[in-house]
Amino acid sequence: MNDDELKQLWQRQPLRTPDVSPAQLISAMQKQTSQLRRTLVARDFRELVACAFVIIIFGIFYFTVYLTPVSRVGDLMVIGGVIFIAWKLVHTRRTTPLAPPGSTVVESLRAELNAVRAQSRLLGSVLWWYLLPSFVGVTIATWGLRIDLFSKILCTLFFIAVDAFIYWLNQRARSKQLLPLEAQLESLIHAAETGEPPDETRVANLRPLVLSMAAADRVKPVEFKVAFGQLAIYGVSGFVGIWFFLMLGLTTSNDSWKTYTPAVQTPVPGVPNKETDRYSIVVRTVVDLFNAGDYAAVQKLYNAEMSQAFPPKETSDFYTGLAAEFGRIQNIEGPISDGLRGWNTFQLHGQRGQLFMSLVLDADDKISGIRFNPAPKSSGNFKAFILHLFRWQHLLWLVPFVLGGWVYCWLLQKTTERAVGISTLGIHLHKGLNLILWGDIKEVRPFRLLNIRSLWLIQQSGEKTIMPWTGLERPSDLKAAVENFAPADHPIRKQLFLLR
Amino acid sequence: MNSTPADEHKFLELVNENRDRILRVCRVYAWNSADHDDLYQEILFQIWRSLPALKEKQFANTWLYRVAINTAISFVRKRASRLDRVVHFEHANLTRTIESRQATEESADDRIADLYTAIYKLGPLEKALVTLFLEDFTYEQMAEVTGISANHVGVMLHRARKKLSSLMKEEAPK
């Protein structure tokens, strides 16, 4: 066939003309224009809403959870970091617009390459602009909280794990999607600019499958989303989890549930060192005499008024009773109070429990007042803590959180694309990115997580891919699709009984 | 775009005059009827959006192909990002499966079907040049549409046609 014949064949080919009237066409164009406008507005709006959500949450934390200056600095760093993230995303998108439709093919490819490179750079540097500012902020805020060291370490490890996972996801997306696309575009532009043939290995996947129109139509999969109920199990649990940790934060930062001021491990600055030394020496003497059972010698440390009020007999009886209840004193901590009105308190660790000893000394280092209180038992503290954590004011907040979880899952279900597609060729996963042919699936194994069963699709090559199964919507349609499309003896058929 | 009756008239006139050309571009870049319709609508929408940029009607032909080909290449890339792993994934198996299913469904016009099947196997720029060649464009006009220099158009088109011819020989019934 010569060139002219080929051109004639081309230009006279029968074409399937869409049956649309001019009015319908104009109306469709106008509709698509307003849809595009809405999409563009919604895209920026989404980022601003996400940013506002985090600011509101950390704004609430500023006044409720992060009460120390250090925590508040961390909190403000998180808010600043979130504003920076939103700005960076919107700015990058706006500075790399696509070429106008009337541009040449090369101009259009260049504009697209710029946009892809910008996205690729963003993902490549995600650690610096996305993860690190928030991580530093939230870590500072946590370490500034008045919580124990173990909790601080645990929280920090959790933040590191979450950030490492997000980093890994971003780098994976960059290397699997953006870098190959960047290479393809570079190769095409290079070919256009130099006339050299493009690198076949790079542009190969820009070529579609060679399907006839009829065959391609049959490849169209039946699509299934994840069922709302399954999303809700995790989504609502997540929101309840946020509520729980929020209330936990509020409870730990509020001392009202405690029956005693927490132990301060070091002398507070309000008490002069000389004073604390004086008290420590007397307390050590009292404890040594107490442990030795020399109660009469303890009584001799009292000043005149105290000696008169507590003669040797009563003093001896009192300390005998104390020794019977708490045993020998093994350790002394303190002073743990601020020396208010001259009273200094020490925590004593006895063989059978802990107690607080508060005393006042006169100018001659004689004891002018002494008091013993048993330390509150931890179980009592824990009970008070739990009661405070689940008080009705906190439980009331559970309602909006649960409702928020439902709305979130509903929106997620409505807006996400299909999870699984079933066609005559096989199973389409990852929003169509991965097609596993029926013939390549050698084995199917169920995998259970809570009430949800997924399937491991094990291929001839040994590659394993997980596929949602009982968590998908419309189980009867799914069953019908598999029965219609899967080969008769396919192993997936053995898992159909799981779909109810 | 806030359309006026004049804009709407201009748009309809342009689409009516060039419907077949647009449909042929769609058939080159889309590989099933659903994608074909989606791409057709997308090209019309891009024409509608950028119509105010078309100042003089004498350039409408070049301009229209620019819009159509840019839209089609971008469309293919978006779809390919969903399907590219299909191509890489056990390609031989997939082709076998498809061939076994399409064996009984040959197109009515074998020659045009062979031509399309061969064009499908070309790269996106080669497709653009071959399409423009079949539409009877000169090298200069092709250069205007693609932004590739006329010399390079000649070199690339020569290579693409050679490839197309050998692909068509492979496709032709033995």
Side-chain angles (χ1 to χ4, degrees):
Chain A
M1 208 183 320
N2 65 31
D3 283 355
D4 288 337
E5 283 171 346
L6 198 63
K7 284 178 186 175
Q8 273 191 7
L9 177 71
W10 175 260
Q11 285 164 23
R12 289 179 189 168
Q13 62 177 290
L15 290 161
R16 191 171 58 87
T17 313
D19 187 20
V20 186
S21 71
Q24 282 174 318
L25 193 58
I26 295 294
S27 156
M29 293 299 115
Q30 284 167 340
K31 206 171 153 189
Q32 213 165 336
T33 307
S34 43
Q35 199 175 346
L36 179 75
R37 265 194 214 123
R38 278 200 301 272
T39 308
L40 292 176
V41 171
R43 204 173 52 179
D44 287 351
F45 185 69
R46 237 184 355 246
E47 254 116 51
L48 293 175
V49 166
C51 177
F53 179 74
V54 177
I55 289 172
I56 289 169
I57 293 287
F58 277 83
I60 294 171
F61 284 178
Y62 186 89
F63 295 105
T64 54
V65 180
Y66 299 132
L67 297 173
T68 65
V70 175
S71 285
R72 286 184 162 177
V73 168
D75 185 274
L76 291 175
M77 280 177 77
V78 174
I79 292 175
V82 168
I83 294 170
F84 178 68
I85 288 167
W87 172 82
K88 187 140 177 103
L89 288 172
V90 173
H91 174 75
T92 305
R93 202 165 42 230
R94 289 193 176 167
T95 49
T96 52
L98 291 178
S103 315
T104 65
V105 175
V106 173
E107 283 166 353
S108 177
L109 289 173
R110 270 203 206 105
E112 195 157 353
L113 177 63
N114 283 340
V116 171
R117 273 187 184 150
Q119 285 297 321
S120 174
R121 272 199 301 271
L122 273 187
L123 293 196
S125 60
V126 76
L127 180 69
W128 303 105
W129 64 273
Y130 187 83
L131 298 175
L132 219 51
S134 317
F135 173 76
V136 171
V138 84
T139 305
I140 289 175
T142 305
W143 282 80
L145 281 174
R146 286 189 194 125
I147 54 174
D148 62 273
L149 185 68
F150 178 72
S151 303
K152 286 176 183 175
I153 293 172
L154 205 68
C155 286
T156 308
L157 289 176
F158 175 74
F159 300 145
I160 290 173
V162 169
D163 281 359
F165 181 64
I166 296 173
Y167 181 77
W168 174 78
L169 280 182
N170 278 280
Q171 297 315 306
R172 190 165 169 265
R174 183 176 181 238
S175 65
K176 293 217 168 196
Q177 291 166 16
L178 294 179
L179 292 180
L181 186 56
E182 204 177 320
Q184 286 161 11
L185 290 165
E186 277 170 357
S187 174
L188 286 176
I189 292 170
H190 178 76
E193 283 171 347
T194 62
E196 289 171 15
D199 182 348
E200 284 298 317
T201 56
R202 289 178 168 184
V203 294
N205 55 356
L206 285 178
R207 234 158 284 159
L209 288 166
V210 183
L211 298 175
S212 74
M213 292 285 184
D217 272 345
R218 283 180 5 200
V219 172
K220 232 180 157 197
V222 186
E223 301 182 341
F224 299 93
K225 286 182 179 184
V226 175
F228 172 72
Q230 299 300 332
L231 284 175
I233 288 174
Y234 292 102
V236 175
S237 308
F239 271 70
V240 170
I242 294 172
W243 165 83
F244 176 78
F245 284 107
L246 191 66
M247 296 308 140
L248 193 67
L250 282 173
T251 309
T252 50
S253 63
N254 185 349
D255 288 351
S256 66
W257 58 275
K258 294 172 184 169
T259 55
Y260 194 81
T261 316
V264 179
Q265 303 294 327
T266 50
V268 285
V271 184
N273 282 342
K274 205 176 157 190
E275 273 290 287
T276 58
D277 288 350
R278 199 161 72 93
Y279 274 84
S280 297
I281 291 164
V282 174
V283 168
R284 170 52 60 191
T285 311
V286 171
V287 167
D288 287 346
L289 293 171
F290 172 81
N291 283 343
D294 192 354
Y295 306 136
V298 176
Q299 203 266 349
K300 284 181 185 158
L301 295 173
Y302 292 176
N303 70 3
E305 289 86 347
M306 277 285 287
S307 292
Q308 204 177 349
F310 298 97
K313 172 78 174 72
E314 277 85 343
T315 304
S316 179
D317 289 347
F318 171 75
Y319 284 112
T320 305
L322 204 63
E325 192 177 342
F326 291 96
R328 283 172 59 82
I329 303 300
Q330 293 167 322
N331 194 18
I332 306 166
E333 270 181 45
I336 59 169
S337 68
D338 54 3
L340 188 69
R341 292 177 192 160
W343 285 91
N344 277 284
T345 303
F346 292 77
Q347 188 165 5
L348 309 180
H349 297 261
Q351 283 172 313
R352 288 188 284 277
Q354 295 178 23
L355 66 159
F356 297 109
M357 178 170 77
S358 306
L359 71 168
V360 187
L361 299 181
D362 64 14
D364 299 319
D365 288 352
K366 289 285 183 186
I367 298 169
S368 58
I370 190 162
R371 192 166 71 200
F372 292 88
N373 297 101
K377 286 187 179 156
S378 59
S379 61
N381 246 359
F382 181 70
K383 195 178 165 191
F385 178 79
I386 294 294
L387 285 174
H388 194 87
L389 179 62
F390 293 106
R391 64 193 170 138
W392 71 267
Q393 291 96 329
H394 287 182
L395 288 173
L396 205 61
W397 275 101
L398 191 56
V399 179
F401 273 85
V402 170
L403 286 176
W406 279 92
V407 171
Y408 171 77
C409 294
W410 180 78
L411 285 174
L412 201 67
Q413 216 262 347
K414 290 283 164 207
T415 54
T416 48
E417 287 185 60
R418 69 178 153 90
V420 171
I422 307 281
S423 76
T424 49
L425 286 180
I427 298 169
H428 304 245
L429 295 170
H430 305 132
K431 296 175 185 171
L433 285 175
N434 193 0
L435 165 63
I436 303 177
L437 299 175
W438 291 119
D440 282 345
I441 301 170
K442 151 185 103 164
E443 194 186 341
V444 177
R445 268 191 230 149
F447 167 75
R448 183 173 184 164
L449 181 69
L450 299 175
N451 64 328
I452 302 168
R453 310 278 183 104
S454 300
L455 298 180
W456 279 115
L457 306 177
I458 304 165
Q459 297 166 53
Q460 308 283 6
S461 58
E463 193 182 339
K464 286 168 80 183
T465 311
I466 195 100
M467 167 196 177
W469 190 239
T470 60
L472 294 172
E473 62 178 2
R474 300 183 283 126
S476 55
D477 289 352
L478 178 62
K479 211 169 178 174
V482 172
E483 277 167 351
N484 279 336
F485 295 136
D489 53 347
H490 199 274
I492 200 169
R493 287 177 177 270
K494 290 180 186 157
Q495 309 301 333
L496 285 174
F497 76 96
L498 293 170
L499 301 171
R500 285 175 195 152
Chain B
M1 172 180 159
N2 292 320
S3 60
T4 60
D7 291 331
E8 289 172 12
H9 176 74
K10 192 174 161 188
F11 170 74
L12 289 173
E13 196 182 36
L14 197 66
V15 169
N16 285 335
E17 278 173 13
N18 296 286
R19 176 171 288 119
D20 286 357
R21 288 173 180 159
I22 299 169
L23 286 168
R24 285 195 288 264
V25 170
C26 291
R27 208 176 155 187
V28 166
Y29 285 92
W31 54 93
N32 67 38
S33 55
D35 283 340
H36 181 272
D37 292 349
D38 287 351
L39 178 56
Y40 179 70
Q41 189 172 335
E42 184 60 27
I43 291 174
L44 292 195
F45 179 59
Q46 294 303 337
I47 292 171
W48 169 263
R49 267 184 72 201
S50 49
L51 202 56
L54 176 64
K55 302 282 183 233
E56 294 171 53
K57 214 188 162 192
Q58 68 199 65
F59 301 118
N61 206 19
T62 311
W63 177 86
L64 185 119
Y65 273 103
R66 279 182 178 181
V67 175
I69 290 174
N70 280 336
T71 310
I73 291 178
S74 170
F75 179 87
V76 168
R77 200 161 22 254
K78 281 176 198 155
R79 293 291 157 119
S81 71
R82 291 181 62 169
L83 275 170
D84 62 352
R85 305 213 186 150
V86 176
V87 178
H88 289 306
F89 185 85
E90 296 293 332
H91 187 273
N93 279 352
L94 187 59
T95 309
R96 242 189 342 267
T97 312
I98 293 161
E99 280 169 356
S100 68
R101 283 160 205 261
Q102 70 182 51
T104 55
E105 298 198 29
E106 279 296 321
S107 163
D109 190 334
D110 286 351
R111 283 180 307 165
I112 198 81
D114 290 347
L115 177 60
Y116 271 111
T117 307
I119 292 175
Y120 284 147
K121 293 180 180 174
L122 298 175
L125 284 179
E126 291 169 328
K127 268 186 194 153
L129 292 176
V130 166
T131 307
L132 294 172
F133 163 75
L134 293 170
E135 294 289 345
D136 220 8
F137 271 53
T138 63
Y139 284 2
E140 284 71 25
Q141 285 171 318
M142 288 186 206
E144 275 177 41
V145 172
T146 57
I148 303 170
S149 74
N151 284 344
H152 289 156
V153 164
V155 175
M156 290 173 81
L157 182 63
H158 175 72
R159 203 165 39 230
R161 283 176 59 196
K162 220 168 139 185
K163 207 159 148 189
L164 186 72
S165 151
S166 82
L167 287 167
M168 282 185 73
K169 275 180 198 151
E170 282 173 26
E171 292 299 327
K174 304 206 165 49

